[in-house]
Amino acid sequence: MIRTPRRRREEPLDHAELARLLPAPGDPELSSDRLSGLEEHLMTEIRNRTSDTAPDTSPGASTGAPPVGAHAGDRAPRPAGRSGRRPVLVGAAAALVLAAAGVAGLAGGSGGSESSGRAVAPPAGAVPAPVVQVVRGSTAGLAGAVADISGAAARAELPEPGPGQFLYVRSEVSSLVSWEGADGKNRSYVDKIHPREVWMSPDGDKGWLMEPYKEAIDPDGITLDDPEGGERTLNSPSYDYLRTLPTDPGLLLKKIYDETGGMGNGPDQQAFSTIGDLLRGQVVPPKLAAGLYRAAARIPGVVLVDDSVDAAGRHGVAIARTDEADGARTEWIFDRETYTYLGERTVQTRDAEGVRAGTVRGHTAVTDRAVVDAVKQRPAGSAPGERTAAPAAPSAGT
């Protein structure tokens, strides 16, 4: 992590001095998550964590915000809201993602530093961000594709979770890690693609997160329990809450615009991001998933992209929208034959903020959704750390 030497001053620093001493601020996006989504973005978007969770008290330690650590048994409070394209996991996981982003998002590497405070090595475990050709999107064919996608979602068979059961979502995820080299130029790196598993009770009060790739997360996972049972909203949903939402696309879209007003980079982009967060990280009731797809098609700026690739290497068609604030286009990817939701990819469409056009800022692949009897229990045939290119079963949600 980029560190700034401790300095003693009796007078306050002005803005120019602060800008010289501190590392450049990171991009606010979490693939997203969530915060991806739950995720974004589950769910995007606890990522870009490259430092130890204990505070560094050495003489050269940074005097900025203290690191945020997440260990087994910790419980994070629910956020009141969310801005930007932050992927959401589920329930309290959203709070953990936001907390991690505030401290370690887009942090520099831990490979040493020069007197300027710039890192001389990329973040540990990061790899150069892929760069792809930006495929132009179009509204031609969008209506027909959305009809096929929503129809497939409505026909999906989802077992209802019973008392004491948990909703399980397994994803492959990777997100942007910006690194400023010794020459002062930004370079785009991403996390290595790695698994994330989330278990949540239908009411959202109990849960567990496993993402052993992240240093901020205990190898055995961390609790997402919320014994206080915070208010359920579109930004902090539970399965039980989702079942109460209207399935009519017009009513859904009105609720989304009303509830997310003032968040993110404009109402249209925030509405699209909110729907993407739900689809990426939740097990969504079939009729609601169908309504969400139809609602998304009504958002200005939404287009159809003929080809996109998820984090598991699966190709498909995509429903997409570009955030005009920074040029990042988020693509929801679907199987060409079954129209099953595969995952999400965010691609930079123009040079901006040190990120070149075509850079893949983050991508996910949902590889399993199911109902299980306990946290840490996996569906038959699923194993920890297992990579798969097979699409998630239609019966598991979207």
Side-chain angles (χ1 to χ4, degrees):
M1 187 171 186
I2 300 176
R3 300 191 180 280
T4 304
R6 187 185 302 274
R7 296 185 55 161
R8 300 178 62 89
R9 298 179 62 99
E10 297 180 357
E11 71 279 7
L13 296 174
D14 60 21
H15 289 89
E17 183 74 348
L18 284 172
R20 185 182 71 80
L21 291 175
L22 297 177
D27 186 292
E29 177 181 6
L30 295 176
S31 79
S32 311
D33 130 18
R34 50 279 306 230
L35 241 107
S36 199
L38 58 160
E39 346 180 305
E40 133 118 343
H41 353 102
L42 266 156
M43 356 95 270
T44 247
E45 40 116 221
I46 306 177
R47 53 181 51 175
N48 304 340
R49 179 75 179 184
T50 59
S51 65
D52 293 333
T53 58
D56 189 341
T57 57
S58 62
S62 170
T63 58
V68 173
H71 302 278
D74 290 350
R75 182 183 67 81
R78 293 181 182 275
R82 175 198 55 190
S83 63
R85 296 181 315 282
R86 297 187 184 277
V88 171
L89 295 180
V90 280
L96 294 171
V97 172
L98 296 179
V103 176
L106 308 182
S110 57
S113 61
E114 295 183 347
S115 58
S116 65
R118 294 192 177 103
V120 296
V127 296
V131 178
V132 300
Q133 181 178 1
V134 179
V135 179
R136 190 178 185 86
S138 171
T139 56
L142 176 63
V146 169
D148 291 333
I149 291 166
S150 60
R155 293 189 298 270
E157 298 179 358
L158 175 67
E160 281 290 314
Q165 290 189 308
F166 288 81
L167 298 150
Y168 170 82
V169 179
R170 186 187 189 283
S171 306
E172 298 288 335
V173 299
S174 174
S175 58
L176 186 70
V177 180
S178 184
W179 166 55
E180 184 179 2
D183 57 3
K185 296 181 179 180
N186 288 333
R187 290 161 173 81
S188 297
Y189 279 69
V190 291
D191 294 328
K192 290 182 180 178
I193 297 174
H194 60 276
R196 172 190 293 151
E197 298 175 283
V198 176
W199 293 259
M200 287 301 298
S201 61
D203 60 9
D205 291 346
K206 295 181 179 180
W208 196 260
L209 167 68
M210 293 190 73
E211 192 173 356
Y213 174 84
K214 296 297 184 183
E215 294 181 5
I217 301 179
D218 187 280
D220 195 41
I222 57 175
T223 181
L224 302 180
D225 288 0
D226 184 9
E228 297 178 1
E231 180 185 3
R232 307 304 173 200
T233 67
L234 290 169
N235 290 321
S236 184
S238 67
Y239 183 78
D240 288 347
Y241 169 80
L242 294 178
R243 290 195 300 181
T244 70
L245 295 179
T247 57
D248 176 80
L251 295 177
L252 263 176
L253 200 57
K254 182 179 185 304
K255 179 175 179 61
I256 291 169
Y257 273 100
D258 289 347
E259 192 168 312
T260 63
M263 299 180 184
N265 295 330
D268 295 332
Q269 182 61 32
Q270 186 59 34
F272 186 80
S273 298
T274 298
I275 295 174
D277 290 345
L278 294 174
L279 297 171
R280 180 195 321 109
Q282 288 278 3
V283 176
V284 181
K287 291 184 179 179
L288 176 60
L292 287 170
Y293 293 131
R294 294 196 297 269
R298 301 184 181 189
I299 299 174
V302 171
V303 296
L304 182 70
V305 175
D306 288 338
D307 185 63
S308 185
V309 186
D310 72 3
R314 302 173 298 191
H315 287 255
V317 297
I319 297 175
R321 191 181 194 282
T322 299
D323 187 339
E324 296 301 329
D326 60 10
R329 186 175 73 187
T330 299
E331 304 166 352
W332 308 337
I333 309 167
F334 303 86
D335 185 272
R336 295 182 186 278
E337 297 181 0
T338 66
Y339 299 105
T340 300
Y341 178 88
L342 299 178
E344 180 182 287
R345 183 176 75 170
T346 301
V347 178
Q348 190 70 22
T349 61
R350 66 172 187 266
D351 293 348
E353 302 174 354
V355 182
R356 61 180 288 197
T359 298
V360 177
R361 301 174 65 110
H363 50 180
T364 66
V366 176
T367 57
D368 209 350
R369 302 184 200 245
V371 174
V372 295
D373 293 329
V375 296
K376 304 184 187 180
Q377 182 183 87
R378 299 178 175 88
S382 179
E386 180 183 70
R387 290 288 303 276
T388 176
S395 61
T398 58

